[in-house]
Amino acid sequence: MLARCASAALRGVEALPVTVEVDIGPGLPGLQMVGLGDAAVQESRERVRAALRNSGLRPPLTRVVVSLAPADLRKEGPAFDLPIALGLLMASGQLPPPRLEGIWSAAELGLDGRLRPVRGVLALASAARRHGARALIVARGNAAEAALVEGLKVWGAASLGEVLALLEDPASVIPPQTAAVADPPCRGPDLAEVRGQDHGRRALEIAAAGDHHLLLVGPPGSGKTMLAQRLPGLLPPLGRREALERTLLHSVAGLLPEGAGLLAGRPFRSPHHGCSAVALIGGGVLPRPGELSLAHHGVLFLDELTEFRREVLDQLRQPLEQGEVWICRARQRCRFPCRITLVAATNPCPCGWFGDPDHACLCGESARRRYWRRLSGPLLDRIDLQVVMRRPAPADLADGYRTARPQEGSAAVAERVRTARERMRRRNPDGLGNAQMAGLHLQETLRLESTALALWERALGVRRLSPRGGQRVLRVARTIADLAGREQVQTGDIAEALTYRSFDLLEAMAAGSQPAGVSAAAADGRGRAGSLPEEGGAELPRGDCRRHG
Ligand SMILES: Nc1ncnc2c1ncn2[C@@H]1O[C@H](COP(=O)(O)OP(=O)(O)O)[C@@H](O)[C@H]1O
Ligand SMILES: [Mg+2]
């Protein structure tokens, strides 16, 4: 006898419908599985057989063929255990087929008949709702996740026996709790703990207000990691759609904790510099999201940037601009979103002490040049804000213990960021940040004062900014004006934006030439051998760069 059961297979962040067909016919006992299943799917037959036996049911004693259709779609993992078991029960006359009409199912079976959670259930539930399923049966640990999809009935069960009981008496189903939030939004560590570092703190605020990527260069202990960790706390809480997208990516990656519902907090991912391209970008035979997509709508922190392999970093370039990663395989092509703010941190030289007034740098000139060359290049060109940091002064650190001199905290900065982002959202279509503005839209929304334009034009020549680098200055200036509550971008905004291009100078130095900004800095004593150019070229007017906090 032939039976059919509905389920789904993951492809990227979507799930596609799969029909599990079970045929029991005459012949020697045995179960053959067809339809492009991986090893876990093939092993399903042993788990299903034992689960049926240990649940007091009868495994078929003749020849069984299980087909997962469509046959050209790759299937992975143990999620087909439950639909295969239900198909066997129908085909062997132990479960009346009308009971399962229009019901989808997905769960792994334990040998004792217990249901175990599987990855990607949120995607499965969306597909089930889209295709008009009457209900979706999942393991109890997946029920809160599946229930995030509105308009779909979810049946959570602990065992195969319980599934059969629910099918017999659907009125006994208890709807799962939908309100479970696995990861409530909270600010995390507070910006008030970071003493001094006005330039770095301001850059962090601008990054949060306009979705700009940020590079922090400074010796060990200057507070680079501290600053990066405080960026999620400056961003507004995730909206429901954003939180669902984040939850979906974690679910597909198999990283959603059992019983979890919505992941509502901003992600902060900090992969180790030894990680592979697949771990960072995503991929694999059956593609899964990488760190980049797990940081979707949040912060990806690459500490010790120069230690990452060049070919790994190179693969970041396109996703950073497009906000999505495409993984292409012979049989499939899938997309993982990755709208992130990148924060990269690195030491100024191999020993870490170049430019530090209290330590001698042990690296030679050529070692430093080689190091800077590793930092420079197309990835750097995509980072809007580049900040050179010093270790905090003893007085700044001591102020942390003087109650009379509190440092501005995350809540106050987040409030300014919220207002600036509202202004940005009203102006930019598709919810894009200032950092992604381009072409005519950038020209129209910039509202540049004529003196500001003249300063920018001059800076392009003096600082030898690439066209992309020049455009980044404009976008940052737009965000600075937004933070000040102005529609017009003024000279001071351009001047401040230029102070976040420190690395353009280093890049020129790495290439062996000295742009005008460096010699001018040398003339005023800031560019002596052993120091890093800070806050841009000295001969450019600084404008009225306000410092908050
Ligand atoms: N600006 C600062 N204000 C207060 N504490 C700081 C500051 N910078 C560094 N510290 C202290 O030094 C420690 C190391 O800072 P960290 O952010 O890890 O430095 P980095 O990443 O630059 O090496 C911090 O845990 C903190 O205790
Ligand atoms: Mg650090």
Side-chain angles (χ1 to χ4, degrees):
M1 185 179 158
L2 177 71
R4 281 198 187 85
C5 233
S7 191
L10 286 175
R11 195 178 61 183
V13 285
E14 352 163 62
L16 303 176
V18 167
T19 304
V20 178
E21 293 175 320
V22 179
D23 181 57
I24 301 185
L28 290 172
L31 194 155
Q32 193 191 355
M33 190 94 74
V34 294
L36 266 189
D38 74 345
V41 175
Q42 294 300 331
E43 285 165 4
S44 187
R45 67 187 118 196
E46 304 308 330
R47 286 192 299 270
V48 169
R49 224 192 284 272
L52 288 176
R53 210 177 39 247
N54 292 324
S55 306
L57 300 154
R58 292 186 317 277
L61 294 173
T62 53
R63 187 178 139 75
V64 180
V65 178
V66 174
S67 163
L68 307 178
D72 61 351
L73 175 67
R74 273 192 173 277
K75 289 107 191 158
E76 184 208 14
F80 296 103
D81 288 3
L82 179 60
I84 290 173
L86 294 174
L88 279 172
L89 290 173
M90 282 194 290
S92 59
Q94 299 175 77
L95 173 66
R99 285 192 192 163
L100 211 60
E101 189 73 51
I103 294 185
W104 290 35
S105 60
E108 177 182 337
L109 282 175
L111 299 187
D112 56 358
R114 189 185 312 215
L115 262 54
R116 296 214 176 97
V118 291
R119 74 181 182 101
V121 158
L122 184 52
L124 252 77
S126 306
R129 201 231 6 232
R130 251 195 338 271
H131 289 86
R134 192 154 64 86
L136 169 68
I137 309 177
V138 291
R140 202 164 275 163
N142 275 148
E145 178 189 343
L148 290 172
V149 173
E150 281 160 8
L152 174 75
K153 288 204 179 84
V154 174
W155 298 5
S159 66
L160 186 56
E162 196 183 329
V163 172
L164 296 180
L166 292 178
L167 287 169
E168 193 175 344
D169 178 17
S172 65
V173 171
I174 301 167
Q177 185 63 258
T178 52
V181 171
D183 171 20
C186 71
R187 292 215 179 283
D190 202 286
L191 199 57
E193 290 157 2
V194 181
R195 310 300 308 179
Q197 303 298 10
D198 288 355
H199 202 219
R201 290 169 57 100
R202 172 74 170 155
L204 204 68
E205 179 173 339
I206 296 171
D211 292 338
H212 301 283
H213 303 315
L214 170 65
L215 171 73
L216 303 170
V217 182
S222 53
K224 304 183 292 294
T225 302
M226 265 188 116
L227 274 183
Q229 286 168 338
R230 281 150 184 84
L231 181 52
L234 302 187
L235 295 164
L238 290 182
R240 184 172 162 85
R241 191 183 49 78
E242 293 170 322
L244 275 173
E245 284 176 17
R246 184 190 164 202
T247 310
L248 179 65
L249 283 157
H250 276 70
S251 161
V252 165
L255 294 176
L256 204 59
E258 194 175 323
L262 202 62
L263 296 180
R266 292 265 176 194
F268 178 85
R269 305 289 304 187
S270 176
H272 186 259
H273 53 72
C275 78
S276 65
V278 168
L280 187 62
I281 313 292
V285 180
L286 290 148
R288 293 193 189 203
E291 290 293 332
L292 190 58
S293 294
L294 294 173
H296 186 47
H297 292 311
V299 176
L300 178 70
F301 179 44
L302 300 185
D303 204 0
E304 315 291 353
L305 184 71
T306 47
E307 301 296 322
F308 282 82
R309 287 199 300 278
R310 185 72 187 241
E311 71 272 14
V312 173
L313 292 182
D314 280 349
Q315 292 187 41
L316 277 176
R317 281 154 34 193
Q318 225 177 3
L320 279 185
E321 292 222 325
Q322 295 176 348
E324 58 187 20
V325 186
W326 281 95
I327 312 274
C328 301
R329 294 281 172 276
R331 285 180 182 273
Q332 58 176 326
R333 193 165 174 268
C334 55
R335 169 191 164 272
F336 294 118
C338 60
R339 232 164 243 304
I340 59 141
T341 303
L342 173 71
V343 181
T346 185
N347 290 337
C349 66
C351 81
W353 296 113
F354 184 64
D356 190 87
D358 304 324
H359 295 81
C361 171
L362 304 173
C363 320
E365 183 69 21
S366 60
R368 274 198 298 269
R369 277 193 203 286
R370 269 200 307 281
Y371 187 81
W372 289 336
R373 230 170 264 142
R374 275 165 70 189
L375 269 183
S376 60
L379 179 63
L380 252 284
D381 214 17
R382 284 165 171 81
I383 297 184
D384 293 1
L385 300 161
Q386 305 161 358
V387 177
V388 175
M389 290 166 71
R390 297 241 180 266
R391 286 192 308 153
D396 283 334
L397 289 176
D399 277 350
Y401 299 95
R402 291 190 185 108
T403 43
R405 310 217 32 201
Q407 190 99 48
E408 192 179 41
S410 293
V413 180
E415 181 50 30
R416 279 200 299 275
V417 167
R418 190 187 62 77
T419 321
R421 288 182 74 95
E422 261 169 28
R423 184 176 281 274
M424 174 173 86
R425 214 182 31 240
R426 281 199 299 273
R427 198 179 46 230
N428 295 354
D430 311 326
L432 288 183
N434 286 342
Q436 288 108 32
M437 283 196 307
L440 276 180
H441 181 65
L442 179 64
Q443 276 177 28
E444 281 161 12
T445 53
L446 206 53
R447 306 274 213 89
L448 210 52
E449 263 185 353
S450 57
T451 48
L453 181 60
L455 173 61
W456 180 72
E457 188 182 349
R458 203 172 131 220
L460 280 184
V462 173
R463 305 284 294 275
R464 299 195 201 155
L465 293 182
S466 68
R468 199 185 250 129
Q471 209 173 50
R472 291 192 180 269
V473 170
L474 295 177
R475 292 169 181 163
V476 169
R478 177 65 266 167
T479 302
I480 293 170
D482 281 344
L483 277 165
R486 269 188 277 102
E487 271 316 307
Q488 199 164 48
V489 173
Q490 299 179 348
T491 317
D493 305 329
I494 295 283
E496 186 182 352
L498 283 165
T499 67
Y500 302 109
R501 302 299 306 179
S502 310
F503 204 89
D504 297 322
L505 299 177
L506 286 185
E507 204 171 352
M509 284 157 75
S513 68
Q514 292 228 326
V518 174
S519 31
D524 77 355
R526 292 200 304 123
R528 70 194 146 78
S531 82
L532 283 164
E534 278 177 286
E535 306 194 3
E539 84 295 330
L540 289 168
R542 295 287 307 281
D544 61 336
C545 313
R546 281 151 310 282
R547 294 276 181 275
H548 294 266

